[in-house]
Amino acid sequence: MKHKFIRMILKKKIVLHFTLLLLGIFPLILSAQDTVKVDFTKTYQRIDGFGASTAWHGQLTDDEADVSFGNGDDQLGLSIVRIRIDPNGQSMWGDELVNAQKAINRGAIVMATPWTPPHQ
């Protein structure tokens, strides 16, 4: 019992020392000030949009699709949807096809991907 208590105290001391070390370093990290300059005349990478996946969600309601792919107030403005290609065949793609069509109707692009290794 005495040894367990000593080990517990030592563990707490190690955690305390680690915490104090982090607290000592953390202000240095936060106080560092760098200047970032953005040159809008140069392109290094093109971003086509931002999106989300509807895999395993089921069919999006019209309200969910409006919030996800709309650009108005209180809407997310997503422009890409990733749908799951079910390995069990097209008969299992119903919800994803509906979600894809709802996204397309709201101006988004669709990326469909299988999420399993190919059948042998």
Side-chain angles (χ1 to χ4, degrees), residues 56 58 84-98:
W56 296 286
R84 176 178 178 257
I85 297 176
D86 193 303
N88 295 314
Q90 285 182 314
S91 63
M92 304 299 290
W93 299 353
D95 289 348
E96 294 294 353
L97 291 175
V98 170

Side-chain angles (χ1 to χ4, degrees), residues 13-78:
K13 282 186 178 181
I14 290 170
V15 169
L16 177 62
H17 288 154
F18 184 71
T19 303
L20 291 174
L21 176 67
L22 284 179
L23 289 175
I25 294 173
F26 199 64
L28 296 176
I29 295 169
L30 289 179
S31 66
Q33 294 182 0
D34 291 323
T35 301
V36 176
K37 294 181 182 182
V38 178
D39 184 349
F40 290 102
T41 64
K42 293 183 181 177
T43 302
Y44 295 102
Q45 179 179 3
R46 190 178 115 216
I47 299 173
D48 290 326
F50 294 91
S53 173
T54 60
W56 296 286
H57 177 279
Q59 284 188 21
L60 292 172
T61 65
D62 286 334
D63 286 341
E64 288 174 326
D66 288 340
V67 168
S68 297
F69 305 106
N71 289 309
D73 292 341
D74 298 325
Q75 294 180 325
L76 298 174
L78 300 177

Side-chain angles (χ1 to χ4, degrees), residues 1-10:
M1 181 72 169
K2 182 179 176 184
H3 295 292
K4 286 182 183 178
F5 180 73
I6 291 172
R7 275 185 266 176
M8 184 181 71
I9 295 292
L10 288 175

